[in-house]
Amino acid sequence: MLGIVRQKMLGQSLLKIRPAISVLRSYSSAAKQMTVREALNSALDEEMSADPKVFLMGEEVGEYQGAYKISKGLLEKYGPERVLDTPITEAGFAGIGVGAAYYGLKPVVEFMTFNFSMQAIDHIINSAAKSNYMSAGQMSVPIVFRGPNGAAAGVGAQHSQCYASWYASCPGLKVLSPYSSEDARGLLKAAIRDPDPVVFLENELLYGESFPVSDEVLDSSFCLPIGKAKIERKGKDVTITAFSKMVGYALKAAEILEKEGIDAEVINLRSIRPLDRSTINASVRKTNRLITVEEGFPQHGVGAEIWFEFSL
């Protein structure tokens, strides 16, 4: 019988920690450093270069080179027909993006923050997510909705929400949330190539953080599978699952626990929907204990979905 341990057991330890960026990670021989911002920019650049159907649209993505400089240099390289500055009207340009995807193009729609995606949620949920099902599989909607998600520095409550569980609860959407530069680069490429609508949840506070990357990650053919988690740290006593910025907290918590003689395994979910249940199951069968970490609301979250599986 599995002994499930709630997150409260590490409450005091978690309160003491800060995001772990420079902790040991399970990357293959990685000597080079790349910021998450650079990883996203290079992924966009390479996919736009490889496929003329890919284009970027959103507020300030062109002339200003992106509110967070993710699209730096892309307007100059690909021109205003493929890097489109839009008015401040999320419902408008998200709808145009969905229509373009219907037509066979591959739009990447940037929200300045995912909080603003609430203005466009009808197009995301009722159009993009449901069209494949309602057309009996005849219509694909290859669109990516991307931008910063969750809390940032010095912003209000209406700019601080995590939308992982919101969008992951909707059939028809795939939801990805990268942590490292490897995640950002490989998952964004996978999202752009995917025939279904993908919600790509980044984190503003991670954009400037550097992570080691291998030559394999830097190769233009590099792509990560959707629906596959990554074990960032192997352990035998307790499983900790996390995604996005919370992976850093989980890794730091594992370091603290190690000093107390507890060997924690940290799983970077990467993909929220589909969820890599097999990797989580295998880990918990080994450790017999599970802790989930996320920055969303305490009720009906991603962690609740994971916990439910082990409560049956």
Side-chain angles (χ1 to χ4, degrees):
M1 187 175 190
L2 297 178
I4 305 300
V5 180
R6 292 193 175 275
Q7 185 177 338
K8 292 180 181 178
M9 294 184 64
L10 291 184
Q12 293 182 345
S13 294
L14 289 174
L15 288 173
K16 299 176 183 177
I17 64 176
R18 293 293 182 269
I21 299 301
S22 58
V23 297
L24 294 176
R25 304 182 182 90
S26 58
Y27 298 103
S28 54
S29 57
K32 300 175 182 176
Q33 295 283 323
M34 174 180 272
T35 65
V36 172
R37 177 182 291 108
E38 292 167 339
L40 293 168
N41 177 267
S42 64
L44 280 168
D45 185 10
E46 289 170 12
E47 293 305 301
M48 291 179 72
S49 177
D51 189 344
K53 293 182 179 180
V54 179
F55 71 95
L56 175 68
M57 65 189 306
E59 297 159 3
E60 300 184 347
V61 299
E63 294 290 345
Y64 192 67
Q65 304 191 81
Y68 303 99
K69 299 299 180 279
I70 303 301
S71 53
K72 183 177 180 180
L74 298 184
L75 175 63
E76 181 180 0
K77 186 172 183 179
Y78 298 103
E81 290 188 355
R82 296 185 65 195
V83 182
L84 286 77
D85 277 322
T86 67
I88 303 175
T89 170
E90 285 78 11
F93 64 76
I96 291 171
V98 173
Y102 286 165
Y103 189 72
L105 300 178
K106 297 181 179 180
V108 179
V109 175
E110 177 179 309
F111 295 120
M112 197 173 291
T113 162
F114 254 93
N115 297 277
F116 298 159
S117 73
M118 293 293 93
Q119 304 294 324
I121 199 165
D122 180 59
H123 295 297
I124 300 170
I125 301 297
N126 286 327
S127 296
K130 292 180 172 59
S131 292
N132 184 265
Y133 168 75
M134 295 181 69
S135 67
Q138 298 179 73
M139 182 182 293
S140 294
V141 191
I143 187 171
V144 178
F145 301 100
R146 54 156 293 270
N149 171 69
V155 295
Q158 77 273 36
H159 286 185
S160 302
Q161 299 169 102
C162 175
Y163 287 91
S165 63
W166 290 53
Y167 287 117
S169 68
C170 181
L173 293 177
K174 295 178 181 177
V175 181
L176 307 178
S177 190
Y179 163 58
S180 65
S181 300
E182 177 182 314
D183 293 354
R185 185 169 156 77
L187 291 176
L188 184 54
K189 282 174 165 283
I192 293 172
R193 297 175 190 181
D194 199 89
D196 296 313
V198 178
V199 172
F200 197 85
L201 304 173
E202 301 157 12
N203 186 282
E204 178 184 338
L205 298 178
L206 287 176
Y207 284 148
E209 298 295 345
S210 294
F211 292 83
V213 290
S214 64
D215 290 336
E216 178 189 3
V217 173
L218 294 173
D219 191 278
S220 61
S221 64
F222 177 71
C223 186
L224 289 172
I226 293 176
K228 183 63 179 174
K230 179 181 181 181
I231 299 176
E232 296 281 354
R233 186 186 194 278
K234 291 186 179 296
K236 59 181 175 60
D237 295 327
V238 59
T239 298
I240 306 176
T241 66
F243 60 92
S244 189
K245 186 168 175 283
M246 296 299 104
V247 176
Y249 283 98
L251 288 168
K252 187 63 177 178
E255 287 186 338
I256 294 172
L257 289 171
E258 185 176 28
K259 297 175 183 178
E260 300 176 8
I262 301 172
D263 188 15
E265 182 153 290
V266 176
I267 298 177
N268 172 7
L269 296 177
R270 284 181 168 172
S271 178
I272 309 302
R273 185 183 185 120
L275 192 62
D276 187 357
R277 300 176 189 274
S278 60
T279 293
I280 301 170
N281 288 345
S283 180
V284 176
R285 287 181 183 276
K286 175 178 64 176
T287 65
N288 291 318
R289 298 174 180 86
L290 172 64
I291 295 168
T292 66
V293 183
E294 64 183 295
E295 61 174 310
F297 298 129
Q299 185 167 327
H300 300 123
V302 175
E305 175 70 20
I306 296 171
W307 276 101
F308 177 74
E309 186 154 330
F310 295 98
S311 65
L312 298 177

PDB file of all heavy atoms in Angstrom, residues 155-190:
ATOM      1  N   VAL A 155       3.613  42.625  -9.854  1.00  0.00           N
ATOM      2  CA  VAL A 155       2.372  42.723 -10.620  1.00  0.00           C
ATOM      3  C   VAL A 155       1.179  42.381  -9.722  1.00  0.00           C
ATOM      4  O   VAL A 155       1.322  41.712  -8.703  1.00  0.00           O
ATOM      5  CB  VAL A 155       2.384  41.789 -11.848  1.00  0.00           C
ATOM      6  CG1 VAL A 155       3.444  42.227 -12.835  1.00  0.00           C
ATOM      7  CG2 VAL A 155       2.609  40.343 -11.433  1.00  0.00           C
ATOM      8  N   GLY A 156      -0.007  42.831 -10.128  1.00  0.00           N
ATOM      9  CA  GLY A 156      -1.197  42.639  -9.324  1.00  0.00           C
ATOM     10  C   GLY A 156      -1.787  41.248  -9.463  1.00  0.00           C
ATOM     11  O   GLY A 156      -1.326  40.420 -10.256  1.00  0.00           O
ATOM     12  N   ALA A 157      -2.844  41.005  -8.692  1.00  0.00           N
ATOM     13  CA  ALA A 157      -3.475  39.686  -8.652  1.00  0.00           C
ATOM     14  C   ALA A 157      -3.997  39.265 -10.021  1.00  0.00           C
ATOM     15  O   ALA A 157      -3.930  38.092 -10.392  1.00  0.00           O
ATOM     16  CB  ALA A 157      -4.602  39.684  -7.624  1.00  0.00           C
ATOM     17  N   GLN A 158      -4.527  40.233 -10.785  1.00  0.00           N
ATOM     18  CA  GLN A 158      -5.106  39.890 -12.083  1.00  0.00           C
ATOM     19  C   GLN A 158      -4.044  39.635 -13.145  1.00  0.00           C
ATOM     20  O   GLN A 158      -4.360  39.257 -14.269  1.00  0.00           O
ATOM     21  CB  GLN A 158      -6.080  40.983 -12.551  1.00  0.00           C
ATOM     22  CG  GLN A 158      -5.441  42.243 -13.098  1.00  0.00           C
ATOM     23  CD  GLN A 158      -5.118  43.252 -12.014  1.00  0.00           C
ATOM     24  OE1 GLN A 158      -4.745  42.899 -10.911  1.00  0.00           O
ATOM     25  NE2 GLN A 158      -5.274  44.534 -12.345  1.00  0.00           N
ATOM     26  N   HIS A 159      -2.752  39.833 -12.782  1.00  0.00           N
ATOM     27  CA  HIS A 159      -1.644  39.543 -13.692  1.00  0.00           C
ATOM     28  C   HIS A 159      -0.769  38.410 -13.146  1.00  0.00           C
ATOM     29  O   HIS A 159       0.345  38.222 -13.617  1.00  0.00           O
ATOM     30  CB  HIS A 159      -0.774  40.786 -13.903  1.00  0.00           C
ATOM     31  CG  HIS A 159      -1.411  41.822 -14.774  1.00  0.00           C
ATOM     32  ND1 HIS A 159      -0.750  42.971 -15.162  1.00  0.00           N
ATOM     33  CD2 HIS A 159      -2.620  41.890 -15.348  1.00  0.00           C
ATOM     34  CE1 HIS A 159      -1.541  43.709 -15.920  1.00  0.00           C
ATOM     35  NE2 HIS A 159      -2.688  43.061 -16.042  1.00  0.00           N
ATOM     36  N   SER A 160      -1.264  37.659 -12.185  1.00  0.00           N
ATOM     37  CA  SER A 160      -0.412  36.698 -11.480  1.00  0.00           C
ATOM     38  C   SER A 160      -0.950  35.273 -11.480  1.00  0.00           C
ATOM     39  O   SER A 160      -0.458  34.440 -10.741  1.00  0.00           O
ATOM     40  CB  SER A 160      -0.218  37.152 -10.020  1.00  0.00           C
ATOM     41  OG  SER A 160       0.361  38.436  -9.960  1.00  0.00           O
ATOM     42  N   GLN A 161      -1.953  34.993 -12.294  1.00  0.00           N
ATOM     43  CA  GLN A 161      -2.596  33.684 -12.222  1.00  0.00           C
ATOM     44  C   GLN A 161      -1.869  32.631 -13.054  1.00  0.00           C
ATOM     45  O   GLN A 161      -1.282  32.934 -14.085  1.00  0.00           O
ATOM     46  CB  GLN A 161      -4.046  33.801 -12.710  1.00  0.00           C
ATOM     47  CG  GLN A 161      -4.866  34.748 -11.871  1.00  0.00           C
ATOM     48  CD  GLN A 161      -6.216  35.076 -12.489  1.00  0.00           C
ATOM     49  OE1 GLN A 161      -7.223  34.537 -12.077  1.00  0.00           O
ATOM     50  NE2 GLN A 161      -6.225  35.949 -13.487  1.00  0.00           N
ATOM     51  N   CYS A 162      -1.944  31.396 -12.578  1.00  0.00           N
ATOM     52  CA  CYS A 162      -1.407  30.261 -13.321  1.00  0.00           C
ATOM     53  C   CYS A 162      -2.566  29.571 -14.037  1.00  0.00           C
ATOM     54  O   CYS A 162      -3.545  29.170 -13.403  1.00  0.00           O
ATOM     55  CB  CYS A 162      -0.714  29.279 -12.379  1.00  0.00           C
ATOM     56  SG  CYS A 162      -0.138  27.769 -13.199  1.00  0.00           S
ATOM     57  N   TYR A 163      -2.435  29.422 -15.346  1.00  0.00           N
ATOM     58  CA  TYR A 163      -3.524  28.880 -16.154  1.00  0.00           C
ATOM     59  C   TYR A 163      -3.321  27.417 -16.548  1.00  0.00           C
ATOM     60  O   TYR A 163      -4.043  26.903 -17.408  1.00  0.00           O
ATOM     61  CB  TYR A 163      -3.707  29.739 -17.406  1.00  0.00           C
ATOM     62  CG  TYR A 163      -4.338  31.064 -17.089  1.00  0.00           C
ATOM     63  CD1 TYR A 163      -3.544  32.177 -16.778  1.00  0.00           C
ATOM     64  CD2 TYR A 163      -5.712  31.208 -17.040  1.00  0.00           C
ATOM     65  CE1 TYR A 163      -4.116  33.392 -16.451  1.00  0.00           C
ATOM     66  CE2 TYR A 163      -6.297  32.426 -16.712  1.00  0.00           C
ATOM     67  CZ  TYR A 163      -5.491  33.507 -16.415  1.00  0.00           C
ATOM     68  OH  TYR A 163      -6.071  34.709 -16.070  1.00  0.00           O
ATOM     69  N   ALA A 164      -2.378  26.748 -15.926  1.00  0.00           N
ATOM     70  CA  ALA A 164      -2.091  25.358 -16.297  1.00  0.00           C
ATOM     71  C   ALA A 164      -3.317  24.471 -16.137  1.00  0.00           C
ATOM     72  O   ALA A 164      -3.702  23.745 -17.066  1.00  0.00           O
ATOM     73  CB  ALA A 164      -0.932  24.823 -15.466  1.00  0.00           C
ATOM     74  N   SER A 165      -3.938  24.508 -14.966  1.00  0.00           N
ATOM     75  CA  SER A 165      -5.089  23.628 -14.742  1.00  0.00           C
ATOM     76  C   SER A 165      -6.320  24.110 -15.506  1.00  0.00           C
ATOM     77  O   SER A 165      -7.169  23.302 -15.899  1.00  0.00           O
ATOM     78  CB  SER A 165      -5.401  23.528 -13.246  1.00  0.00           C
ATOM     79  OG  SER A 165      -5.773  24.782 -12.707  1.00  0.00           O
ATOM     80  N   TRP A 166      -6.430  25.426 -15.737  1.00  0.00           N
ATOM     81  CA  TRP A 166      -7.553  25.964 -16.510  1.00  0.00           C
ATOM     82  C   TRP A 166      -7.599  25.315 -17.895  1.00  0.00           C
ATOM     83  O   TRP A 166      -8.608  24.736 -18.295  1.00  0.00           O
ATOM     84  CB  TRP A 166      -7.398  27.477 -16.704  1.00  0.00           C
ATOM     85  CG  TRP A 166      -7.579  28.344 -15.516  1.00  0.00           C
ATOM     86  CD1 TRP A 166      -6.941  28.228 -14.309  1.00  0.00           C
ATOM     87  CD2 TRP A 166      -8.415  29.497 -15.412  1.00  0.00           C
ATOM     88  NE1 TRP A 166      -7.329  29.238 -13.476  1.00  0.00           N
ATOM     89  CE2 TRP A 166      -8.236  30.037 -14.123  1.00  0.00           C
ATOM     90  CE3 TRP A 166      -9.273  30.137 -16.297  1.00  0.00           C
ATOM     91  CZ2 TRP A 166      -8.892  31.177 -13.690  1.00  0.00           C
ATOM     92  CZ3 TRP A 166      -9.936  31.279 -15.875  1.00  0.00           C
ATOM     93  CH2 TRP A 166      -9.753  31.790 -14.572  1.00  0.00           C
ATOM     94  N   TYR A 167      -6.503  25.442 -18.622  1.00  0.00           N
ATOM     95  CA  TYR A 167      -6.480  24.953 -19.994  1.00  0.00           C
ATOM     96  C   TYR A 167      -6.306  23.435 -20.070  1.00  0.00           C
ATOM     97  O   TYR A 167      -6.795  22.796 -21.013  1.00  0.00           O
ATOM     98  CB  TYR A 167      -5.386  25.669 -20.785  1.00  0.00           C
ATOM     99  CG  TYR A 167      -5.753  27.100 -21.114  1.00  0.00           C
ATOM    100  CD1 TYR A 167      -5.009  28.173 -20.615  1.00  0.00           C
ATOM    101  CD2 TYR A 167      -6.858  27.386 -21.901  1.00  0.00           C
ATOM    102  CE1 TYR A 167      -5.362  29.485 -20.914  1.00  0.00           C
ATOM    103  CE2 TYR A 167      -7.215  28.698 -22.200  1.00  0.00           C
ATOM    104  CZ  TYR A 167      -6.463  29.738 -21.700  1.00  0.00           C
ATOM    105  OH  TYR A 167      -6.824  31.037 -21.988  1.00  0.00           O
ATOM    106  N   ALA A 168      -5.637  22.845 -19.083  1.00  0.00           N
ATOM    107  CA  ALA A 168      -5.448  21.393 -19.100  1.00  0.00           C
ATOM    108  C   ALA A 168      -6.758  20.645 -18.891  1.00  0.00           C
ATOM    109  O   ALA A 168      -6.864  19.466 -19.230  1.00  0.00           O
ATOM    110  CB  ALA A 168      -4.434  20.983 -18.033  1.00  0.00           C
ATOM    111  N   SER A 169      -7.761  21.311 -18.340  1.00  0.00           N
ATOM    112  CA  SER A 169      -9.051  20.656 -18.128  1.00  0.00           C
ATOM    113  C   SER A 169      -9.894  20.597 -19.389  1.00  0.00           C
ATOM    114  O   SER A 169     -10.942  19.944 -19.410  1.00  0.00           O
ATOM    115  CB  SER A 169      -9.840  21.391 -17.027  1.00  0.00           C
ATOM    116  OG  SER A 169     -10.240  22.678 -17.477  1.00  0.00           O
ATOM    117  N   CYS A 170      -9.442  21.249 -20.459  1.00  0.00           N
ATOM    118  CA  CYS A 170     -10.239  21.339 -21.684  1.00  0.00           C
ATOM    119  C   CYS A 170      -9.790  20.301 -22.720  1.00  0.00           C
ATOM    120  O   CYS A 170      -8.673  20.366 -23.231  1.00  0.00           O
ATOM    121  CB  CYS A 170     -10.125  22.739 -22.282  1.00  0.00           C
ATOM    122  SG  CYS A 170     -11.101  22.943 -23.791  1.00  0.00           S
ATOM    123  N   PRO A 171     -10.656  19.356 -23.077  1.00  0.00           N
ATOM    124  CA  PRO A 171     -10.320  18.394 -24.140  1.00  0.00           C
ATOM    125  C   PRO A 171     -10.032  19.117 -25.449  1.00  0.00           C
ATOM    126  O   PRO A 171     -10.676  20.111 -25.782  1.00  0.00           O
ATOM    127  CB  PRO A 171     -11.589  17.534 -24.247  1.00  0.00           C
ATOM    128  CG  PRO A 171     -12.284  17.694 -22.942  1.00  0.00           C
ATOM    129  CD  PRO A 171     -11.997  19.103 -22.506  1.00  0.00           C
ATOM    130  N   GLY A 172      -9.059  18.613 -26.175  1.00  0.00           N
ATOM    131  CA  GLY A 172      -8.707  19.210 -27.456  1.00  0.00           C
ATOM    132  C   GLY A 172      -7.483  20.084 -27.426  1.00  0.00           C
ATOM    133  O   GLY A 172      -6.911  20.404 -28.472  1.00  0.00           O
ATOM    134  N   LEU A 173      -7.070  20.490 -26.231  1.00  0.00           N
ATOM    135  CA  LEU A 173      -5.863  21.302 -26.087  1.00  0.00           C
ATOM    136  C   LEU A 173      -4.711  20.464 -25.558  1.00  0.00           C
ATOM    137  O   LEU A 173      -4.910  19.561 -24.743  1.00  0.00           O
ATOM    138  CB  LEU A 173      -6.101  22.465 -25.119  1.00  0.00           C
ATOM    139  CG  LEU A 173      -7.075  23.564 -25.528  1.00  0.00           C
ATOM    140  CD1 LEU A 173      -7.211  24.569 -24.398  1.00  0.00           C
ATOM    141  CD2 LEU A 173      -6.623  24.254 -26.814  1.00  0.00           C
ATOM    142  N   LYS A 174      -3.508  20.782 -26.000  1.00  0.00           N
ATOM    143  CA  LYS A 174      -2.296  20.263 -25.372  1.00  0.00           C
ATOM    144  C   LYS A 174      -1.676  21.428 -24.612  1.00  0.00           C
ATOM    145  O   LYS A 174      -1.672  22.553 -25.102  1.00  0.00           O
ATOM    146  CB  LYS A 174      -1.338  19.709 -26.419  1.00  0.00           C
ATOM    147  CG  LYS A 174      -1.899  18.493 -27.135  1.00  0.00           C
ATOM    148  CD  LYS A 174      -0.985  17.966 -28.221  1.00  0.00           C
ATOM    149  CE  LYS A 174      -1.621  16.765 -28.898  1.00  0.00           C
ATOM    150  NZ  LYS A 174      -0.797  16.250 -30.016  1.00  0.00           N
ATOM    151  N   VAL A 175      -1.176  21.151 -23.414  1.00  0.00           N
ATOM    152  CA  VAL A 175      -0.664  22.215 -22.548  1.00  0.00           C
ATOM    153  C   VAL A 175       0.761  21.872 -22.123  1.00  0.00           C
ATOM    154  O   VAL A 175       1.001  20.827 -21.495  1.00  0.00           O
ATOM    155  CB  VAL A 175      -1.555  22.404 -21.299  1.00  0.00           C
ATOM    156  CG1 VAL A 175      -1.017  23.538 -20.432  1.00  0.00           C
ATOM    157  CG2 VAL A 175      -2.997  22.680 -21.715  1.00  0.00           C
ATOM    158  N   LEU A 176       1.700  22.745 -22.461  1.00  0.00           N
ATOM    159  CA  LEU A 176       3.114  22.542 -22.149  1.00  0.00           C
ATOM    160  C   LEU A 176       3.616  23.678 -21.274  1.00  0.00           C
ATOM    161  O   LEU A 176       3.172  24.814 -21.409  1.00  0.00           O
ATOM    162  CB  LEU A 176       3.942  22.475 -23.435  1.00  0.00           C
ATOM    163  CG  LEU A 176       3.484  21.468 -24.500  1.00  0.00           C
ATOM    164  CD1 LEU A 176       4.370  21.562 -25.734  1.00  0.00           C
ATOM    165  CD2 LEU A 176       3.489  20.050 -23.936  1.00  0.00           C
ATOM    166  N   SER A 177       4.558  23.359 -20.382  1.00  0.00           N
ATOM    167  CA  SER A 177       5.096  24.379 -19.478  1.00  0.00           C
ATOM    168  C   SER A 177       6.574  24.103 -19.224  1.00  0.00           C
ATOM    169  O   SER A 177       6.919  23.260 -18.391  1.00  0.00           O
ATOM    170  CB  SER A 177       4.308  24.373 -18.160  1.00  0.00           C
ATOM    171  OG  SER A 177       4.660  25.484 -17.370  1.00  0.00           O
ATOM    172  N   PRO A 178       7.470  24.790 -19.933  1.00  0.00           N
ATOM    173  CA  PRO A 178       8.905  24.524 -19.816  1.00  0.00           C
ATOM    174  C   PRO A 178       9.527  25.134 -18.565  1.00  0.00           C
ATOM    175  O   PRO A 178       9.048  26.134 -18.037  1.00  0.00           O
ATOM    176  CB  PRO A 178       9.470  25.177 -21.076  1.00  0.00           C
ATOM    177  CG  PRO A 178       8.536  26.319 -21.334  1.00  0.00           C
ATOM    178  CD  PRO A 178       7.174  25.826 -20.933  1.00  0.00           C
ATOM    179  N   TYR A 179      10.616  24.524 -18.139  1.00  0.00           N
ATOM    180  CA  TYR A 179      11.407  25.039 -17.018  1.00  0.00           C
ATOM    181  C   TYR A 179      12.749  25.568 -17.520  1.00  0.00           C
ATOM    182  O   TYR A 179      13.069  26.737 -17.342  1.00  0.00           O
ATOM    183  CB  TYR A 179      11.621  23.930 -15.989  1.00  0.00           C
ATOM    184  CG  TYR A 179      12.740  24.187 -14.998  1.00  0.00           C
ATOM    185  CD1 TYR A 179      12.727  25.318 -14.169  1.00  0.00           C
ATOM    186  CD2 TYR A 179      13.825  23.313 -14.895  1.00  0.00           C
ATOM    187  CE1 TYR A 179      13.755  25.557 -13.264  1.00  0.00           C
ATOM    188  CE2 TYR A 179      14.852  23.537 -13.987  1.00  0.00           C
ATOM    189  CZ  TYR A 179      14.823  24.664 -13.175  1.00  0.00           C
ATOM    190  OH  TYR A 179      15.841  24.891 -12.292  1.00  0.00           O
ATOM    191  N   SER A 180      13.524  24.731 -18.162  1.00  0.00           N
ATOM    192  CA  SER A 180      14.886  25.074 -18.563  1.00  0.00           C
ATOM    193  C   SER A 180      14.954  25.528 -20.012  1.00  0.00           C
ATOM    194  O   SER A 180      13.962  25.515 -20.750  1.00  0.00           O
ATOM    195  CB  SER A 180      15.786  23.844 -18.384  1.00  0.00           C
ATOM    196  OG  SER A 180      15.368  22.821 -19.293  1.00  0.00           O
ATOM    197  N   SER A 181      16.145  25.900 -20.451  1.00  0.00           N
ATOM    198  CA  SER A 181      16.364  26.269 -21.845  1.00  0.00           C
ATOM    199  C   SER A 181      16.161  25.063 -22.757  1.00  0.00           C
ATOM    200  O   SER A 181      15.634  25.198 -23.873  1.00  0.00           O
ATOM    201  CB  SER A 181      17.781  26.829 -22.020  1.00  0.00           C
ATOM    202  OG  SER A 181      17.968  27.973 -21.212  1.00  0.00           O
ATOM    203  N   GLU A 182      16.570  23.902 -22.298  1.00  0.00           N
ATOM    204  CA  GLU A 182      16.344  22.668 -23.063  1.00  0.00           C
ATOM    205  C   GLU A 182      14.856  22.438 -23.256  1.00  0.00           C
ATOM    206  O   GLU A 182      14.388  22.136 -24.356  1.00  0.00           O
ATOM    207  CB  GLU A 182      16.979  21.479 -22.336  1.00  0.00           C
ATOM    208  CG  GLU A 182      16.740  20.140 -23.016  1.00  0.00           C
ATOM    209  CD  GLU A 182      17.355  18.986 -22.243  1.00  0.00           C
ATOM    210  OE1 GLU A 182      18.527  19.105 -21.822  1.00  0.00           O
ATOM    211  OE2 GLU A 182      16.670  17.960 -22.053  1.00  0.00           O
ATOM    212  N   ASP A 183      14.089  22.596 -22.180  1.00  0.00           N
ATOM    213  CA  ASP A 183      12.633  22.459 -22.262  1.00  0.00           C
ATOM    214  C   ASP A 183      12.043  23.458 -23.245  1.00  0.00           C
ATOM    215  O   ASP A 183      11.229  23.109 -24.110  1.00  0.00           O
ATOM    216  CB  ASP A 183      11.990  22.720 -20.893  1.00  0.00           C
ATOM    217  CG  ASP A 183      12.327  21.679 -19.848  1.00  0.00           C
ATOM    218  OD1 ASP A 183      12.964  20.667 -20.186  1.00  0.00           O
ATOM    219  OD2 ASP A 183      11.953  21.890 -18.682  1.00  0.00           O
ATOM    220  N   ALA A 184      12.419  24.721 -23.078  1.00  0.00           N
ATOM    221  CA  ALA A 184      11.837  25.796 -23.879  1.00  0.00           C
ATOM    222  C   ALA A 184      12.090  25.581 -25.365  1.00  0.00           C
ATOM    223  O   ALA A 184      11.172  25.717 -26.201  1.00  0.00           O
ATOM    224  CB  ALA A 184      12.397  27.143 -23.433  1.00  0.00           C
ATOM    225  N   ARG A 185      13.295  25.231 -25.691  1.00  0.00           N
ATOM    226  CA  ARG A 185      13.663  25.052 -27.100  1.00  0.00           C
ATOM    227  C   ARG A 185      12.986  23.814 -27.705  1.00  0.00           C
ATOM    228  O   ARG A 185      12.366  23.875 -28.769  1.00  0.00           O
ATOM    229  CB  ARG A 185      15.188  24.953 -27.199  1.00  0.00           C
ATOM    230  CG  ARG A 185      15.715  24.876 -28.610  1.00  0.00           C
ATOM    231  CD  ARG A 185      17.240  25.058 -28.620  1.00  0.00           C
ATOM    232  NE  ARG A 185      17.825  24.461 -29.809  1.00  0.00           N
ATOM    233  CZ  ARG A 185      17.788  25.009 -31.016  1.00  0.00           C
ATOM    234  NH1 ARG A 185      17.188  26.167 -31.192  1.00  0.00           N
ATOM    235  NH2 ARG A 185      18.337  24.406 -32.043  1.00  0.00           N
ATOM    236  N   GLY A 186      13.097  22.701 -27.004  1.00  0.00           N
ATOM    237  CA  GLY A 186      12.567  21.446 -27.539  1.00  0.00           C
ATOM    238  C   GLY A 186      11.054  21.379 -27.554  1.00  0.00           C
ATOM    239  O   GLY A 186      10.449  20.849 -28.499  1.00  0.00           O
ATOM    240  N   LEU A 187      10.415  21.928 -26.525  1.00  0.00           N
ATOM    241  CA  LEU A 187       8.956  21.878 -26.454  1.00  0.00           C
ATOM    242  C   LEU A 187       8.297  22.871 -27.404  1.00  0.00           C
ATOM    243  O   LEU A 187       7.231  22.590 -27.967  1.00  0.00           O
ATOM    244  CB  LEU A 187       8.493  22.127 -25.021  1.00  0.00           C
ATOM    245  CG  LEU A 187       8.804  21.025 -24.008  1.00  0.00           C
ATOM    246  CD1 LEU A 187       8.373  21.450 -22.606  1.00  0.00           C
ATOM    247  CD2 LEU A 187       8.111  19.714 -24.388  1.00  0.00           C
ATOM    248  N   LEU A 188       8.894  24.066 -27.591  1.00  0.00           N
ATOM    249  CA  LEU A 188       8.298  25.020 -28.511  1.00  0.00           C
ATOM    250  C   LEU A 188       8.364  24.500 -29.941  1.00  0.00           C
ATOM    251  O   LEU A 188       7.411  24.656 -30.723  1.00  0.00           O
ATOM    252  CB  LEU A 188       8.983  26.388 -28.406  1.00  0.00           C
ATOM    253  CG  LEU A 188       8.362  27.497 -29.268  1.00  0.00           C
ATOM    254  CD1 LEU A 188       6.867  27.643 -28.991  1.00  0.00           C
ATOM    255  CD2 LEU A 188       9.075  28.823 -29.035  1.00  0.00           C
ATOM    256  N   LYS A 189       9.449  23.863 -30.296  1.00  0.00           N
ATOM    257  CA  LYS A 189       9.542  23.258 -31.619  1.00  0.00           C
ATOM    258  C   LYS A 189       8.474  22.183 -31.798  1.00  0.00           C
ATOM    259  O   LYS A 189       7.813  22.102 -32.844  1.00  0.00           O
ATOM    260  CB  LYS A 189      10.937  22.646 -31.820  1.00  0.00           C
ATOM    261  CG  LYS A 189      12.028  23.651 -32.151  1.00  0.00           C
ATOM    262  CD  LYS A 189      13.380  22.974 -32.183  1.00  0.00           C
ATOM    263  CE  LYS A 189      14.409  23.851 -32.870  1.00  0.00           C
ATOM    264  NZ  LYS A 189      14.274  23.849 -34.334  1.00  0.00           N
ATOM    265  N   ALA A 190       8.291  21.375 -30.764  1.00  0.00           N
ATOM    266  CA  ALA A 190       7.275  20.325 -30.832  1.00  0.00           C
ATOM    267  C   ALA A 190       5.881  20.920 -30.952  1.00  0.00           C
ATOM    268  O   ALA A 190       5.034  20.420 -31.701  1.00  0.00           O
ATOM    269  CB  ALA A 190       7.365  19.436 -29.587  1.00  0.00           C
TER     270      ALA A 190
END
